[in-house]
Amino acid sequence: QTPEQRKRNAKFTKEQDAKRGKPTQELKKKQEFKSPVSPVVLGILGFVVFGGLIFELLSRFFLR
């Protein structure tokens, strides 16, 4: 084994020893939900969709 492999093996063994005997819920890191769409893009999309809808309704009621 190369020295690099020995280091990686030691690191892996250390991590596995730390996990041993602990419940699975404790082992899983709680990940915060992250939306794939940024709030800015979501806001622009909402403005386009709902703004267009409101504009269309106003034009149908007042500009027959």
Side-chain angles (χ1 to χ4, degrees):
Q1 282 186 337
T2 65
E4 186 176 342
Q5 286 176 328
R6 285 191 191 110
K7 287 179 188 176
R8 289 184 183 177
N9 284 343
K11 181 181 177 185
F12 178 79
T13 304
K14 184 180 176 184
E15 289 174 357
Q16 292 302 310
D17 288 342
K19 289 181 185 179
R20 225 170 254 136
K22 293 187 178 178
T24 56
Q25 290 178 346
E26 189 176 325
L27 294 177
K28 293 180 183 177
K29 296 179 181 176
K30 293 184 180 180
Q31 294 180 346
E32 191 174 315
F33 176 73
K34 184 177 179 187
S35 176
V37 181
S38 73
V40 174
V41 173
L42 201 57
I44 292 171
L45 184 63
F47 175 76
V48 169
V49 171
F50 292 110
L53 178 67
I54 292 169
F55 180 75
E56 185 67 28
L57 289 174
L58 289 174
S59 65
R60 288 194 184 231
F61 281 121
F62 295 116
L63 300 175
R64 290 186 177 222

